[in-house]
Amino acid sequence: MDLFFFHLSGILPDNSLLFQVPAAAITLPTLSIFPFETYSERTGLYIGALLLLVITMILLRFFERIKSNRMLQQTEQRHNDIFKKITHEFRAPLTIILGLSKQLQEQKDFSNNNSLTYLNAIERQGRYLSEMVNQLLDVANLYAAEKTEEWKTGNIVAFVEMVSETFRLYAGQKEIDLYFFSDEKEIQTDFVPDYLNKILHNLLSNAVKYSDEGSRIYLILERNKKDRKKVIIKVVDHGKGISKEMLPHIFKLHYTRPNVGTETPAGEGIGLAIAKQLTEISGGTIRVESEEGKGTTFTVEMPVRRNEKQLFPHWKPEKDTPATMAIVKPPVKTEHKELITPEANENDPRPTILLVEDNKDTALYIRSMFHQEQYNIIYASNGEKAWNILNKQLPDIVITDAVMPKKSGIELCKEMKASPLLNHIPVIIISAKNRESDLIEGLKSGADSYIRKPFHLEELQVRVENLLENRQLLREKYRRTVLKEEKAASCDNINSDFLIHVTDIIHREMKNPDFTSVKLAQELAISVSQLNRKLNAATGYSSSVYILQVKLNHARKLLSTQNKTIGEVATECGIYDVNYFSRVFKRHIGVTPSQFKRLPQN
């Protein structure tokens, strides 16, 4: 055995490596370089193909990574939308719970009935929050990396009937009858009890929620007549139904109606989306048919199967009942008779507030802020009903929610500000939508104020007081304007155009003794009652008093600037009874026409 030293520069500190091998085993390598022409054409093709394959694999890997990142971003955005929508819904119940709790703590003169009403509202909103938290957990479980699907084998007919029994009492509290029908007493199949319970829970909850008192809900289970290996579960109600516009999007997690800005309620949108995903995980399908005003039918179709390779535990009602079934409790009965307010009396000195809110607990909370001794509250459950009220009587101010069925608060505000009769009424919009774009949308609709939920009691009270005070200042300014015959030119307000038009008509008909409120209303193409409400809101005068004020103001000008007799001045004002003219002049001006004429004029 001989020793050889290989001297390799830069390898070790002493620049040497020691190998102990037989000398015959050492063969020094050689490198031979041949010109390119010596490679065969086939070898070149192999090398080119190899390079092309390597480049293709690199590109595929690159695009797969981009696609994966994009899918992760989309999934993350979808999750953010879900949680954003549910947390958006937390604002309203938190506002009610915190507000009514504070009212109960601070007000000592509450009757037992009022206290019980507030406590019931707090309990209802607490249950709603609990339901939203449960849905958050359901969503989190759906998107969890590890899904634990506890499959069982059992009689699906007995399971669905058991769910219907838990909802029968819940529906009965709303005087709704729930019926269960099945064409078979037993259908043995594999299913996930927790999943099926949540699917039925969401469908039946919506059916009860959107059904009217005295109506019926049917839960039907049957085999598919064309395919006996499938079972069909139907939830049929005769409630409000779903609009054609909303129907294609009913299972989406976050849908906003175009050009309106109203959203599907989170409890409904999330619940139905969860029901759809759980159905698909179970190997089934879900669809909906609905006609607005007539009712809705949800149809769930699932396979009837038995896993031969894996035997699942047998489902027993008394042992394997899902814990979530215990959540279905009879709802606390809503007592909101105090919200239904009769029409305002025209002689009522209290300011009238029109409260527009589809959530009756929120309406109860807002109602509790304004004492009956100081304010008269008129209530409407949506924008459409509010519009009908506005056509009959004019409130001093409107407080409306932004998102409501049939007609949103944004739509109501736009229509009010476009109406010559209603555009003077201040509007406060209250909304759980708290983005800057939502605020700008509300202000662009013409709202005088936009308040975000949850809000402090004092904030809304101060806004209402300030707007009503500004309204009173404008009213007094209009009065002075009429007396000075400035035709509202100095008033930078939407009422000025209306008053200028009205005053011009009165001046044109000044000498006409037959000109009355009826003819003025005909000139304006509105009713006398509408004219009275508009003028009273803008100036504090009824139409007949306003006409008289304009005429007396004209008489004062004639008496001050022209040398005419009292009879001539009265005739110029369309009043041919001089004695009547003198009495009316003294009652409104404080002196007789003769005395006024002798007063020193500035």
Side-chain angles (χ1 to χ4, degrees), residues 283-316:
T285 60
I286 185 171
R287 61 181 184 272
V288 59
E289 299 173 5
S290 184
E291 187 173 350
E292 204 166 4
K294 292 189 176 180
T296 304
T297 300
F298 284 94
T299 303
V300 176
E301 191 172 53
M302 289 186 171
V304 178
R305 59 188 176 186
R306 298 290 297 274
N307 193 327
E308 302 296 337
K309 296 181 181 179
Q310 181 180 1
L311 295 177
F312 296 122
H314 190 73
W315 174 77
K316 296 179 181 179

PDB file of all heavy atoms in Angstrom, residues 283-316:
ATOM      1  N   GLY A 283     -73.169  15.008  -0.741  1.00  0.00           N
ATOM      2  CA  GLY A 283     -73.406  14.361  -2.030  1.00  0.00           C
ATOM      3  C   GLY A 283     -74.742  14.696  -2.649  1.00  0.00           C
ATOM      4  O   GLY A 283     -75.180  14.021  -3.588  1.00  0.00           O
ATOM      5  N   GLY A 284     -75.413  15.735  -2.154  1.00  0.00           N
ATOM      6  CA  GLY A 284     -76.727  16.090  -2.664  1.00  0.00           C
ATOM      7  C   GLY A 284     -76.748  17.416  -3.396  1.00  0.00           C
ATOM      8  O   GLY A 284     -75.708  18.034  -3.650  1.00  0.00           O
ATOM      9  N   THR A 285     -77.948  17.873  -3.717  1.00  0.00           N
ATOM     10  CA  THR A 285     -78.160  19.155  -4.393  1.00  0.00           C
ATOM     11  C   THR A 285     -79.310  19.891  -3.711  1.00  0.00           C
ATOM     12  O   THR A 285     -80.143  19.271  -3.041  1.00  0.00           O
ATOM     13  CB  THR A 285     -78.505  18.970  -5.881  1.00  0.00           C
ATOM     14  OG1 THR A 285     -79.713  18.183  -5.992  1.00  0.00           O
ATOM     15  CG2 THR A 285     -77.367  18.292  -6.631  1.00  0.00           C
ATOM     16  N   ILE A 286     -79.333  21.208  -3.894  1.00  0.00           N
ATOM     17  CA  ILE A 286     -80.410  22.019  -3.346  1.00  0.00           C
ATOM     18  C   ILE A 286     -80.822  23.049  -4.388  1.00  0.00           C
ATOM     19  O   ILE A 286     -79.979  23.587  -5.101  1.00  0.00           O
ATOM     20  CB  ILE A 286     -79.980  22.716  -2.029  1.00  0.00           C
ATOM     21  CG1 ILE A 286     -81.161  23.464  -1.396  1.00  0.00           C
ATOM     22  CG2 ILE A 286     -78.795  23.628  -2.236  1.00  0.00           C
ATOM     23  CD1 ILE A 286     -80.867  23.978   0.003  1.00  0.00           C
ATOM     24  N   ARG A 287     -82.119  23.297  -4.497  1.00  0.00           N
ATOM     25  CA  ARG A 287     -82.630  24.302  -5.437  1.00  0.00           C
ATOM     26  C   ARG A 287     -83.823  24.998  -4.805  1.00  0.00           C
ATOM     27  O   ARG A 287     -84.368  24.536  -3.793  1.00  0.00           O
ATOM     28  CB  ARG A 287     -83.012  23.663  -6.769  1.00  0.00           C
ATOM     29  CG  ARG A 287     -84.098  22.615  -6.693  1.00  0.00           C
ATOM     30  CD  ARG A 287     -84.392  22.003  -8.067  1.00  0.00           C
ATOM     31  NE  ARG A 287     -85.509  21.062  -8.015  1.00  0.00           N
ATOM     32  CZ  ARG A 287     -85.369  19.777  -7.734  1.00  0.00           C
ATOM     33  NH1 ARG A 287     -84.169  19.264  -7.469  1.00  0.00           N
ATOM     34  NH2 ARG A 287     -86.437  18.982  -7.701  1.00  0.00           N
ATOM     35  N   VAL A 288     -84.210  26.117  -5.420  1.00  0.00           N
ATOM     36  CA  VAL A 288     -85.300  26.914  -4.866  1.00  0.00           C
ATOM     37  C   VAL A 288     -86.225  27.361  -5.984  1.00  0.00           C
ATOM     38  O   VAL A 288     -85.784  27.671  -7.094  1.00  0.00           O
ATOM     39  CB  VAL A 288     -84.746  28.140  -4.090  1.00  0.00           C
ATOM     40  CG1 VAL A 288     -83.913  29.025  -4.991  1.00  0.00           C
ATOM     41  CG2 VAL A 288     -85.870  28.954  -3.445  1.00  0.00           C
ATOM     42  N   GLU A 289     -87.511  27.371  -5.683  1.00  0.00           N
ATOM     43  CA  GLU A 289     -88.531  27.926  -6.572  1.00  0.00           C
ATOM     44  C   GLU A 289     -89.368  28.890  -5.736  1.00  0.00           C
ATOM     45  O   GLU A 289     -89.735  28.573  -4.602  1.00  0.00           O
ATOM     46  CB  GLU A 289     -89.420  26.821  -7.154  1.00  0.00           C
ATOM     47  CG  GLU A 289     -88.668  25.805  -7.998  1.00  0.00           C
ATOM     48  CD  GLU A 289     -89.555  24.640  -8.410  1.00  0.00           C
ATOM     49  OE1 GLU A 289     -90.774  24.691  -8.110  1.00  0.00           O
ATOM     50  OE2 GLU A 289     -89.055  23.685  -9.005  1.00  0.00           O
ATOM     51  N   SER A 290     -89.656  30.050  -6.289  1.00  0.00           N
ATOM     52  CA  SER A 290     -90.396  31.041  -5.508  1.00  0.00           C
ATOM     53  C   SER A 290     -91.142  31.997  -6.417  1.00  0.00           C
ATOM     54  O   SER A 290     -90.709  32.263  -7.547  1.00  0.00           O
ATOM     55  CB  SER A 290     -89.438  31.827  -4.608  1.00  0.00           C
ATOM     56  OG  SER A 290     -90.145  32.730  -3.780  1.00  0.00           O
ATOM     57  N   GLU A 291     -92.252  32.492  -5.907  1.00  0.00           N
ATOM     58  CA  GLU A 291     -93.025  33.533  -6.582  1.00  0.00           C
ATOM     59  C   GLU A 291     -93.371  34.587  -5.545  1.00  0.00           C
ATOM     60  O   GLU A 291     -93.942  34.265  -4.495  1.00  0.00           O
ATOM     61  CB  GLU A 291     -94.291  32.952  -7.211  1.00  0.00           C
ATOM     62  CG  GLU A 291     -95.044  33.952  -8.076  1.00  0.00           C
ATOM     63  CD  GLU A 291     -96.197  33.324  -8.832  1.00  0.00           C
ATOM     64  OE1 GLU A 291     -96.314  32.078  -8.841  1.00  0.00           O
ATOM     65  OE2 GLU A 291     -97.007  34.087  -9.387  1.00  0.00           O
ATOM     66  N   GLU A 292     -92.998  35.810  -5.837  1.00  0.00           N
ATOM     67  CA  GLU A 292     -93.168  36.882  -4.877  1.00  0.00           C
ATOM     68  C   GLU A 292     -94.644  37.040  -4.501  1.00  0.00           C
ATOM     69  O   GLU A 292     -95.515  37.121  -5.359  1.00  0.00           O
ATOM     70  CB  GLU A 292     -92.623  38.197  -5.445  1.00  0.00           C
ATOM     71  CG  GLU A 292     -92.231  39.209  -4.398  1.00  0.00           C
ATOM     72  CD  GLU A 292     -91.389  40.332  -4.954  1.00  0.00           C
ATOM     73  OE1 GLU A 292     -91.162  40.369  -6.176  1.00  0.00           O
ATOM     74  OE2 GLU A 292     -90.958  41.174  -4.160  1.00  0.00           O
ATOM     75  N   GLY A 293     -94.908  37.038  -3.203  1.00  0.00           N
ATOM     76  CA  GLY A 293     -96.271  37.195  -2.716  1.00  0.00           C
ATOM     77  C   GLY A 293     -97.032  35.896  -2.561  1.00  0.00           C
ATOM     78  O   GLY A 293     -98.129  35.886  -1.987  1.00  0.00           O
ATOM     79  N   LYS A 294     -96.463  34.781  -3.049  1.00  0.00           N
ATOM     80  CA  LYS A 294     -97.166  33.495  -2.989  1.00  0.00           C
ATOM     81  C   LYS A 294     -96.439  32.445  -2.161  1.00  0.00           C
ATOM     82  O   LYS A 294     -97.067  31.557  -1.599  1.00  0.00           O
ATOM     83  CB  LYS A 294     -97.414  32.963  -4.402  1.00  0.00           C
ATOM     84  CG  LYS A 294     -98.413  33.809  -5.194  1.00  0.00           C
ATOM     85  CD  LYS A 294     -98.805  33.127  -6.492  1.00  0.00           C
ATOM     86  CE  LYS A 294     -99.871  33.933  -7.229  1.00  0.00           C
ATOM     87  NZ  LYS A 294    -100.275  33.282  -8.501  1.00  0.00           N
ATOM     88  N   GLY A 295     -95.117  32.505  -2.106  1.00  0.00           N
ATOM     89  CA  GLY A 295     -94.406  31.539  -1.286  1.00  0.00           C
ATOM     90  C   GLY A 295     -93.162  30.986  -1.955  1.00  0.00           C
ATOM     91  O   GLY A 295     -92.827  31.335  -3.092  1.00  0.00           O
ATOM     92  N   THR A 296     -92.486  30.094  -1.204  1.00  0.00           N
ATOM     93  CA  THR A 296     -91.189  29.564  -1.635  1.00  0.00           C
ATOM     94  C   THR A 296     -91.115  28.076  -1.340  1.00  0.00           C
ATOM     95  O   THR A 296     -91.654  27.597  -0.337  1.00  0.00           O
ATOM     96  CB  THR A 296     -90.043  30.296  -0.900  1.00  0.00           C
ATOM     97  OG1 THR A 296     -90.157  31.694  -1.136  1.00  0.00           O
ATOM     98  CG2 THR A 296     -88.686  29.818  -1.377  1.00  0.00           C
ATOM     99  N   THR A 297     -90.437  27.345  -2.231  1.00  0.00           N
ATOM    100  CA  THR A 297     -90.192  25.914  -2.034  1.00  0.00           C
ATOM    101  C   THR A 297     -88.706  25.629  -2.188  1.00  0.00           C
ATOM    102  O   THR A 297     -88.131  25.880  -3.253  1.00  0.00           O
ATOM    103  CB  THR A 297     -90.981  25.063  -3.041  1.00  0.00           C
ATOM    104  OG1 THR A 297     -92.378  25.303  -2.877  1.00  0.00           O
ATOM    105  CG2 THR A 297     -90.691  23.576  -2.841  1.00  0.00           C
ATOM    106  N   PHE A 298     -88.078  25.129  -1.128  1.00  0.00           N
ATOM    107  CA  PHE A 298     -86.689  24.662  -1.187  1.00  0.00           C
ATOM    108  C   PHE A 298     -86.710  23.142  -1.326  1.00  0.00           C
ATOM    109  O   PHE A 298     -87.422  22.456  -0.570  1.00  0.00           O
ATOM    110  CB  PHE A 298     -85.919  25.058   0.074  1.00  0.00           C
ATOM    111  CG  PHE A 298     -85.518  26.503   0.110  1.00  0.00           C
ATOM    112  CD1 PHE A 298     -86.312  27.447   0.741  1.00  0.00           C
ATOM    113  CD2 PHE A 298     -84.340  26.915  -0.502  1.00  0.00           C
ATOM    114  CE1 PHE A 298     -85.939  28.778   0.778  1.00  0.00           C
ATOM    115  CE2 PHE A 298     -83.963  28.252  -0.472  1.00  0.00           C
ATOM    116  CZ  PHE A 298     -84.764  29.190   0.162  1.00  0.00           C
ATOM    117  N   THR A 299     -85.934  22.626  -2.252  1.00  0.00           N
ATOM    118  CA  THR A 299     -85.887  21.184  -2.509  1.00  0.00           C
ATOM    119  C   THR A 299     -84.460  20.682  -2.334  1.00  0.00           C
ATOM    120  O   THR A 299     -83.542  21.122  -3.035  1.00  0.00           O
ATOM    121  CB  THR A 299     -86.373  20.861  -3.925  1.00  0.00           C
ATOM    122  OG1 THR A 299     -87.702  21.375  -4.108  1.00  0.00           O
ATOM    123  CG2 THR A 299     -86.380  19.363  -4.158  1.00  0.00           C
ATOM    124  N   VAL A 300     -84.281  19.756  -1.392  1.00  0.00           N
ATOM    125  CA  VAL A 300     -82.980  19.119  -1.150  1.00  0.00           C
ATOM    126  C   VAL A 300     -83.068  17.672  -1.639  1.00  0.00           C
ATOM    127  O   VAL A 300     -83.979  16.945  -1.248  1.00  0.00           O
ATOM    128  CB  VAL A 300     -82.613  19.159   0.345  1.00  0.00           C
ATOM    129  CG1 VAL A 300     -81.306  18.417   0.584  1.00  0.00           C
ATOM    130  CG2 VAL A 300     -82.528  20.595   0.839  1.00  0.00           C
ATOM    131  N   GLU A 301     -82.130  17.281  -2.476  1.00  0.00           N
ATOM    132  CA  GLU A 301     -82.108  15.913  -3.014  1.00  0.00           C
ATOM    133  C   GLU A 301     -80.813  15.247  -2.590  1.00  0.00           C
ATOM    134  O   GLU A 301     -79.720  15.772  -2.852  1.00  0.00           O
ATOM    135  CB  GLU A 301     -82.228  15.939  -4.534  1.00  0.00           C
ATOM    136  CG  GLU A 301     -82.475  14.574  -5.138  1.00  0.00           C
ATOM    137  CD  GLU A 301     -82.789  14.664  -6.626  1.00  0.00           C
ATOM    138  OE1 GLU A 301     -81.976  15.283  -7.353  1.00  0.00           O
ATOM    139  OE2 GLU A 301     -83.823  14.125  -7.058  1.00  0.00           O
ATOM    140  N   MET A 302     -80.927  14.080  -1.910  1.00  0.00           N
ATOM    141  CA  MET A 302     -79.755  13.367  -1.411  1.00  0.00           C
ATOM    142  C   MET A 302     -79.803  11.902  -1.832  1.00  0.00           C
ATOM    143  O   MET A 302     -80.884  11.322  -1.967  1.00  0.00           O
ATOM    144  CB  MET A 302     -79.680  13.461   0.115  1.00  0.00           C
ATOM    145  CG  MET A 302     -79.309  14.838   0.626  1.00  0.00           C
ATOM    146  SD  MET A 302     -79.060  14.824   2.401  1.00  0.00           S
ATOM    147  CE  MET A 302     -78.375  16.454   2.669  1.00  0.00           C
ATOM    148  N   PRO A 303     -78.624  11.298  -2.001  1.00  0.00           N
ATOM    149  CA  PRO A 303     -78.600   9.883  -2.387  1.00  0.00           C
ATOM    150  C   PRO A 303     -78.957   8.974  -1.213  1.00  0.00           C
ATOM    151  O   PRO A 303     -78.606   9.257  -0.061  1.00  0.00           O
ATOM    152  CB  PRO A 303     -77.147   9.676  -2.823  1.00  0.00           C
ATOM    153  CG  PRO A 303     -76.366  10.714  -2.084  1.00  0.00           C
ATOM    154  CD  PRO A 303     -77.270  11.894  -1.937  1.00  0.00           C
ATOM    155  N   VAL A 304     -79.664   7.895  -1.514  1.00  0.00           N
ATOM    156  CA  VAL A 304     -79.904   6.837  -0.531  1.00  0.00           C
ATOM    157  C   VAL A 304     -78.803   5.808  -0.747  1.00  0.00           C
ATOM    158  O   VAL A 304     -78.754   5.135  -1.774  1.00  0.00           O
ATOM    159  CB  VAL A 304     -81.292   6.188  -0.728  1.00  0.00           C
ATOM    160  CG1 VAL A 304     -81.489   5.052   0.267  1.00  0.00           C
ATOM    161  CG2 VAL A 304     -82.388   7.235  -0.568  1.00  0.00           C
ATOM    162  N   ARG A 305     -77.879   5.705   0.219  1.00  0.00           N
ATOM    163  CA  ARG A 305     -76.706   4.844   0.007  1.00  0.00           C
ATOM    164  C   ARG A 305     -76.317   4.149   1.299  1.00  0.00           C
ATOM    165  O   ARG A 305     -76.609   4.610   2.393  1.00  0.00           O
ATOM    166  CB  ARG A 305     -75.541   5.679  -0.505  1.00  0.00           C
ATOM    167  CG  ARG A 305     -75.126   6.805   0.429  1.00  0.00           C
ATOM    168  CD  ARG A 305     -74.108   7.699  -0.205  1.00  0.00           C
ATOM    169  NE  ARG A 305     -73.774   8.832   0.662  1.00  0.00           N
ATOM    170  CZ  ARG A 305     -72.992   9.842   0.305  1.00  0.00           C
ATOM    171  NH1 ARG A 305     -72.467   9.861  -0.914  1.00  0.00           N
ATOM    172  NH2 ARG A 305     -72.727  10.813   1.138  1.00  0.00           N
ATOM    173  N   ARG A 306     -75.625   3.041   1.122  1.00  0.00           N
ATOM    174  CA  ARG A 306     -75.045   2.296   2.239  1.00  0.00           C
ATOM    175  C   ARG A 306     -73.610   1.970   1.870  1.00  0.00           C
ATOM    176  O   ARG A 306     -73.343   1.361   0.840  1.00  0.00           O
ATOM    177  CB  ARG A 306     -75.831   1.016   2.519  1.00  0.00           C
ATOM    178  CG  ARG A 306     -77.279   1.220   2.923  1.00  0.00           C
ATOM    179  CD  ARG A 306     -77.386   1.833   4.301  1.00  0.00           C
ATOM    180  NE  ARG A 306     -76.851   0.981   5.325  1.00  0.00           N
ATOM    181  CZ  ARG A 306     -77.554   0.024   5.926  1.00  0.00           C
ATOM    182  NH1 ARG A 306     -78.827  -0.176   5.620  1.00  0.00           N
ATOM    183  NH2 ARG A 306     -77.008  -0.725   6.862  1.00  0.00           N
ATOM    184  N   ASN A 307     -72.680   2.395   2.677  1.00  0.00           N
ATOM    185  CA  ASN A 307     -71.266   2.155   2.424  1.00  0.00           C
ATOM    186  C   ASN A 307     -70.936   0.708   2.789  1.00  0.00           C
ATOM    187  O   ASN A 307     -70.948   0.330   3.958  1.00  0.00           O
ATOM    188  CB  ASN A 307     -70.411   3.123   3.241  1.00  0.00           C
ATOM    189  CG  ASN A 307     -68.965   3.148   2.795  1.00  0.00           C
ATOM    190  OD1 ASN A 307     -68.421   2.139   2.368  1.00  0.00           O
ATOM    191  ND2 ASN A 307     -68.350   4.314   2.892  1.00  0.00           N
ATOM    192  N   GLU A 308     -70.663  -0.109   1.750  1.00  0.00           N
ATOM    193  CA  GLU A 308     -70.391  -1.531   1.977  1.00  0.00           C
ATOM    194  C   GLU A 308     -68.985  -1.756   2.531  1.00  0.00           C
ATOM    195  O   GLU A 308     -68.730  -2.730   3.235  1.00  0.00           O
ATOM    196  CB  GLU A 308     -70.568  -2.309   0.671  1.00  0.00           C
ATOM    197  CG  GLU A 308     -71.952  -2.180   0.055  1.00  0.00           C
ATOM    198  CD  GLU A 308     -73.040  -2.768   0.948  1.00  0.00           C
ATOM    199  OE1 GLU A 308     -72.707  -3.625   1.795  1.00  0.00           O
ATOM    200  OE2 GLU A 308     -74.203  -2.371   0.806  1.00  0.00           O
ATOM    201  N   LYS A 309     -68.052  -0.851   2.186  1.00  0.00           N
ATOM    202  CA  LYS A 309     -66.673  -1.032   2.616  1.00  0.00           C
ATOM    203  C   LYS A 309     -66.458  -0.608   4.064  1.00  0.00           C
ATOM    204  O   LYS A 309     -65.590  -1.112   4.760  1.00  0.00           O
ATOM    205  CB  LYS A 309     -65.741  -0.232   1.711  1.00  0.00           C
ATOM    206  CG  LYS A 309     -65.748  -0.700   0.260  1.00  0.00           C
ATOM    207  CD  LYS A 309     -64.790   0.127  -0.580  1.00  0.00           C
ATOM    208  CE  LYS A 309     -64.810  -0.339  -2.039  1.00  0.00           C
ATOM    209  NZ  LYS A 309     -63.889   0.477  -2.877  1.00  0.00           N
ATOM    210  N   GLN A 310     -67.258   0.384   4.523  1.00  0.00           N
ATOM    211  CA  GLN A 310     -67.102   0.899   5.877  1.00  0.00           C
ATOM    212  C   GLN A 310     -68.461   0.961   6.561  1.00  0.00           C
ATOM    213  O   GLN A 310     -69.385   1.595   6.064  1.00  0.00           O
ATOM    214  CB  GLN A 310     -66.465   2.291   5.853  1.00  0.00           C
ATOM    215  CG  GLN A 310     -66.246   2.881   7.232  1.00  0.00           C
ATOM    216  CD  GLN A 310     -65.615   4.269   7.163  1.00  0.00           C
ATOM    217  OE1 GLN A 310     -65.363   4.772   6.081  1.00  0.00           O
ATOM    218  NE2 GLN A 310     -65.375   4.864   8.316  1.00  0.00           N
ATOM    219  N   LEU A 311     -68.572   0.279   7.674  1.00  0.00           N
ATOM    220  CA  LEU A 311     -69.831   0.273   8.411  1.00  0.00           C
ATOM    221  C   LEU A 311     -69.838   1.434   9.406  1.00  0.00           C
ATOM    222  O   LEU A 311     -68.989   1.517  10.299  1.00  0.00           O
ATOM    223  CB  LEU A 311     -70.000  -1.064   9.149  1.00  0.00           C
ATOM    224  CG  LEU A 311     -70.138  -2.307   8.260  1.00  0.00           C
ATOM    225  CD1 LEU A 311     -70.229  -3.561   9.134  1.00  0.00           C
ATOM    226  CD2 LEU A 311     -71.364  -2.191   7.368  1.00  0.00           C
ATOM    227  N   PHE A 312     -70.814   2.348   9.216  1.00  0.00           N
ATOM    228  CA  PHE A 312     -70.921   3.499  10.115  1.00  0.00           C
ATOM    229  C   PHE A 312     -71.751   3.129  11.340  1.00  0.00           C
ATOM    230  O   PHE A 312     -72.585   2.211  11.295  1.00  0.00           O
ATOM    231  CB  PHE A 312     -71.582   4.676   9.400  1.00  0.00           C
ATOM    232  CG  PHE A 312     -70.786   5.207   8.250  1.00  0.00           C
ATOM    233  CD1 PHE A 312     -71.325   5.243   6.961  1.00  0.00           C
ATOM    234  CD2 PHE A 312     -69.492   5.674   8.432  1.00  0.00           C
ATOM    235  CE1 PHE A 312     -70.600   5.729   5.904  1.00  0.00           C
ATOM    236  CE2 PHE A 312     -68.754   6.165   7.374  1.00  0.00           C
ATOM    237  CZ  PHE A 312     -69.295   6.193   6.105  1.00  0.00           C
ATOM    238  N   PRO A 313     -71.562   3.870  12.444  1.00  0.00           N
ATOM    239  CA  PRO A 313     -72.384   3.615  13.643  1.00  0.00           C
ATOM    240  C   PRO A 313     -73.862   3.835  13.329  1.00  0.00           C
ATOM    241  O   PRO A 313     -74.215   4.651  12.484  1.00  0.00           O
ATOM    242  CB  PRO A 313     -71.870   4.642  14.654  1.00  0.00           C
ATOM    243  CG  PRO A 313     -70.508   5.025  14.171  1.00  0.00           C
ATOM    244  CD  PRO A 313     -70.546   4.901  12.681  1.00  0.00           C
ATOM    245  N   HIS A 314     -74.700   3.123  14.017  1.00  0.00           N
ATOM    246  CA  HIS A 314     -76.134   3.234  13.788  1.00  0.00           C
ATOM    247  C   HIS A 314     -76.681   4.455  14.529  1.00  0.00           C
ATOM    248  O   HIS A 314     -76.338   4.707  15.683  1.00  0.00           O
ATOM    249  CB  HIS A 314     -76.860   1.982  14.264  1.00  0.00           C
ATOM    250  CG  HIS A 314     -78.293   1.937  13.836  1.00  0.00           C
ATOM    251  ND1 HIS A 314     -78.684   1.693  12.546  1.00  0.00           N
ATOM    252  CD2 HIS A 314     -79.435   2.131  14.550  1.00  0.00           C
ATOM    253  CE1 HIS A 314     -79.998   1.727  12.471  1.00  0.00           C
ATOM    254  NE2 HIS A 314     -80.481   1.981  13.680  1.00  0.00           N
ATOM    255  N   TRP A 315     -77.522   5.250  13.833  1.00  0.00           N
ATOM    256  CA  TRP A 315     -78.101   6.444  14.446  1.00  0.00           C
ATOM    257  C   TRP A 315     -79.294   6.064  15.299  1.00  0.00           C
ATOM    258  O   TRP A 315     -80.197   5.347  14.864  1.00  0.00           O
ATOM    259  CB  TRP A 315     -78.540   7.439  13.373  1.00  0.00           C
ATOM    260  CG  TRP A 315     -79.269   8.623  13.959  1.00  0.00           C
ATOM    261  CD1 TRP A 315     -78.722   9.682  14.597  1.00  0.00           C
ATOM    262  CD2 TRP A 315     -80.681   8.830  13.981  1.00  0.00           C
ATOM    263  NE1 TRP A 315     -79.695  10.535  15.027  1.00  0.00           N
ATOM    264  CE2 TRP A 315     -80.913  10.055  14.659  1.00  0.00           C
ATOM    265  CE3 TRP A 315     -81.774   8.107  13.514  1.00  0.00           C
ATOM    266  CZ2 TRP A 315     -82.186  10.553  14.863  1.00  0.00           C
ATOM    267  CZ3 TRP A 315     -83.042   8.606  13.721  1.00  0.00           C
ATOM    268  CH2 TRP A 315     -83.247   9.826  14.390  1.00  0.00           C
ATOM    269  N   LYS A 316     -79.304   6.593  16.559  1.00  0.00           N
ATOM    270  CA  LYS A 316     -80.420   6.382  17.469  1.00  0.00           C
ATOM    271  C   LYS A 316     -80.911   7.743  17.940  1.00  0.00           C
ATOM    272  O   LYS A 316     -80.107   8.558  18.406  1.00  0.00           O
ATOM    273  CB  LYS A 316     -79.986   5.538  18.673  1.00  0.00           C
ATOM    274  CG  LYS A 316     -79.570   4.127  18.294  1.00  0.00           C
ATOM    275  CD  LYS A 316     -79.137   3.353  19.529  1.00  0.00           C
ATOM    276  CE  LYS A 316     -78.706   1.941  19.140  1.00  0.00           C
ATOM    277  NZ  LYS A 316     -78.261   1.164  20.338  1.00  0.00           N
TER     278      LYS A 316
END
